[in-house]
Amino acid sequence: MKHLFLTCLYMVTALFTMAQNEDSAFINRLSNEILLNSQAYNNLRVLTKTIGGRLAGSPQMVKAEQWGLAALKAAGSRDAYLQECMVPHWIRGGKDAAKATYGKMSKNLDVIALGNAAGTMKPLTAPVLLIRSFEELERRKEDVKGKIVFYNYPFNATLVKTFQAYSDAGRYRREGPSRAAKYGALAVIVRSLTQSTDNNPHTGSTAYNDSFPKIPAVAIGLHDAEWLSKQTAEKNFAVTLHTHGRFLPDTIGHNVVGEIKGSAQPAEYITVGGHLDSWDNCEGAHDDGAGCVQTIEILRAFTALGYKPKKTIRFVLFANEENGLRGGNKYAEEAKEKGERHIFALESDAGGFTPRGFGFTLSDAQFEKLTSWQKLLAPYGGGEFSRGGGGADIGPLNRLGGTPVAGLQPDSQRYFDYHHARSDVFEAVNKRELELGAVNMAALIYLVDRYGL
Ligand SMILES: [Zn+2]
């Protein structure tokens, strides 16, 4: 009896080892295919250099959709299609400008209007009130009326995982304008969400609270933020802001979707994607051209190797992540309406940097199962698995349908140097780092396709 048990155990272990050997061989083929023949870098060059910044509703976004459709077809999905959704249409409307003055002294400040913010339309001049935190805003609420509030809340340098510093300081960009408007501020200047050593301002969406006036808001580069905070601590500086942002009526946008039909369980869907829109002040190379070209590359590599997935795999370039999330919402709503069974979704939206691993939002049992795959990904750099994570565009799949989701986690030290700033250009992306991200994503998609969760 004991002998039989040991024989069975031996056989199960042997089968498991054989499967893992087969998987590691296939992942190696995927890696070689991508590292030798990838189109990701060239696709990124075309997207960023011939189309450039592509905010929802812009003519560049329309071009990007056509580019994405052609790229997905060329990579192996002949039936790639556009999925329509209504998107907000915010325009910057002109060049954002700011000047600080004190007596005869004046200095131009490098600023950029926050996305979705109202413009000043004509130049707006007011004294500056330096505020270092929301707690200080509450203490000084009597001083706010008639001022331009300057939030100089720093991106916390002690947080090694930079996304934590982003979500911490991000409150000032999102909530800062309305919190200041509540006490009568005329406009807001927000310290850029970065610890970069240059002076580029970083835009990003703000969100007004409808209970208060929608006041203009800009982000300021770090050199100028330091200068302004020193000056305003001693002297009563005024700032003149001139911005032009406004909304046009909602317009039609599209998710761009490629697909490989499943050979064994076609009614089970796996989604992999990034977002095609970007801010208008940059080329959107790391955010999120990288995620888009990695997504297309996985399709190309599967096709090149003749891989026939068991489940249906969707390759999605999402619309309007930056200032509305309408693309991600539409994708999840339609999946729900059609009763599609989405078993997993993966997004790359943290930059095209060296992959470290993945963050997962799923059950304990599912995470436990995944951990046996870490050693298969470790040789390619993506073996660090952690709890929590996903992506803005696939979040609605998780919220509406309970789909397990994951996000590629590249090294995060340089991401916020470029994020939403004019420096987020093609030249900031390293070809090999970009490709290694695609290798690890492709491997994870393959494993989920083969074994489920
Ligand atoms: Zn992004």
Side-chain angles (χ1 to χ4, degrees):
M1 194 64 196
K2 192 179 165 202
H3 185 70
L4 187 67
F5 173 76
L6 282 174
T7 309
C8 284
L9 188 69
Y10 172 77
M11 278 171 66
V12 167
T13 312
L15 280 172
F16 182 73
T17 311
M18 267 167 65
Q20 285 232 323
N21 287 343
E22 206 182 301
D23 292 335
S24 91
F26 186 74
I27 290 169
N28 188 244
R29 286 179 66 207
L30 269 175
S31 177
N32 292 350
E33 173 59 34
I34 292 172
L35 295 176
L36 289 171
N37 302 318
S38 170
Q39 289 297 313
Y41 191 64
N42 192 48
N43 276 336
L44 186 66
R45 186 185 57 73
V46 175
L47 176 64
T48 54
K49 293 302 179 190
T50 69
I51 299 171
R54 43 197 183 277
L55 197 55
S58 68
Q60 291 89 336
M61 183 60 198
V62 175
K63 273 192 201 164
E65 290 168 359
Q66 290 305 320
W67 167 86
L69 190 63
L72 284 167
K73 286 181 180 174
S77 171
R78 263 172 287 160
D79 303 326
Y81 59 94
L82 299 177
Q83 180 183 40
E84 188 176 308
C85 59
M86 293 307 285
V87 293
H89 190 187
W90 180 83
I91 56 165
R92 186 169 303 285
K95 189 171 164 28
D96 306 313
K99 185 188 261 187
T101 50
Y102 173 71
K104 283 194 178 124
M105 231 178 119
S106 82
K107 178 183 165 63
N108 288 324
L109 305 172
D110 200 348
V111 299
I112 186 152
L114 298 185
N116 296 350
T120 62
M121 298 308 165
K122 52 183 202 278
L124 166 83
T125 304
V128 175
L129 179 68
L130 171 66
I131 293 289
R132 294 170 195 83
S133 66
F134 285 141
E135 292 70 32
E136 185 179 357
L137 178 76
E138 294 305 316
R139 282 198 307 273
R140 300 192 61 187
K141 61 188 174 198
E142 308 297 336
D143 304 334
V144 171
K145 194 159 189 260
K147 304 275 173 55
I148 294 176
V149 165
F150 165 36
Y151 290 112
N152 194 31
Y153 183 85
F155 203 77
N156 188 341
T158 65
L159 297 171
V160 173
K161 295 195 164 140
T162 62
F163 279 84
Q164 292 176 359
Y166 179 64
S167 68
D168 173 49
R171 292 174 297 150
Y172 290 83
R173 190 189 78 203
R174 286 188 298 275
E175 303 165 28
S178 286
R179 286 204 185 203
K182 180 179 173 187
Y183 300 126
L186 299 180
V188 157
I189 299 172
V190 184
R191 181 187 174 97
S192 285
L193 305 179
T194 180
Q195 42 198 335
S196 118
T197 52
D198 60 34
N199 191 39
N200 297 328
H202 296 237
T203 189
S205 283
T206 191
Y208 290 120
N209 178 331
D210 289 334
S211 310
F212 309 110
K214 294 181 168 129
I215 60 172
V218 299
I220 185 171
L222 258 48
H223 297 185
D224 287 349
E226 289 301 318
W227 180 87
L228 190 62
S229 79
K230 261 198 200 94
Q231 297 297 326
T232 48
E234 296 160 9
K235 305 180 190 85
N236 291 320
F237 261 81
V239 163
T240 301
L241 280 181
H242 195 188
T243 61
H244 320 263
R246 67 193 166 101
F247 276 103
L248 302 178
D250 283 7
T251 184
I252 294 171
H254 300 92
N255 294 323
V256 191
V257 186
E259 195 174 283
I260 312 180
K261 262 261 170 300
S263 56
Q265 297 112 29
E268 290 185 20
Y269 291 86
I270 296 171
T271 297
V272 55
H275 65 86
L276 188 53
D277 64 311
S278 80
W279 285 103
D280 57 324
N281 62 328
C282 60
E283 293 175 4
H286 279 294
D287 188 13
D288 183 23
C292 290
V293 300
Q294 287 168 331
T295 297
I296 297 165
E297 181 59 21
I298 299 164
L299 168 62
R300 193 203 63 78
F302 281 169
T303 309
L305 295 181
Y307 179 63
K308 301 259 176 290
K310 291 181 175 180
K311 307 176 200 319
T312 296
I313 305 182
R314 291 249 185 89
F315 303 84
V316 186
L317 317 180
F318 288 96
N320 181 226
E321 187 273 342
E322 294 293 1
N323 67 332
L325 212 62
R326 302 272 188 88
N329 285 328
K330 175 72 184 183
Y331 184 76
E333 282 159 15
E334 205 169 292
K336 196 174 180 189
E337 275 163 27
K338 292 183 173 167
E340 289 171 356
R341 197 162 158 246
H342 285 255
I343 64 145
F344 181 61
L346 170 65
E347 180 156 9
S348 166
D349 184 20
F353 299 101
T354 303
R356 299 284 188 226
F358 295 91
F360 295 91
T361 299
L362 31 61
S363 72
D364 290 346
Q366 287 166 329
F367 188 73
E368 186 59 35
K369 176 169 182 178
L370 284 167
T371 52
S372 68
W373 300 343
Q374 283 181 282
K375 61 176 177 294
L376 291 166
L377 267 62
Y380 309 94
E384 291 175 14
F385 288 8
S386 55
R387 303 300 301 266
D393 300 287
I394 56 175
L397 273 181
N398 178 263
R399 288 192 291 277
L400 281 182
T403 302
V405 293
L408 175 69
Q409 293 185 336
D411 186 276
S412 71
Q413 299 315 316
R414 285 174 290 153
Y415 185 57
F416 292 100
D417 289 358
Y418 305 110
H419 181 253
H420 302 178
R422 63 173 77 95
S423 52
D424 184 9
V425 294
F426 175 66
E427 290 79 0
V429 178
N430 175 279
K431 179 174 185 287
R432 195 166 170 82
E433 294 180 4
L434 177 74
E435 290 167 355
L436 281 167
V439 167
N440 285 277
M441 291 167 72
L444 181 61
I445 294 292
Y446 159 79
L447 290 166
V448 176
D449 178 53
R450 192 139 190 227
Y451 302 106
L453 285 170

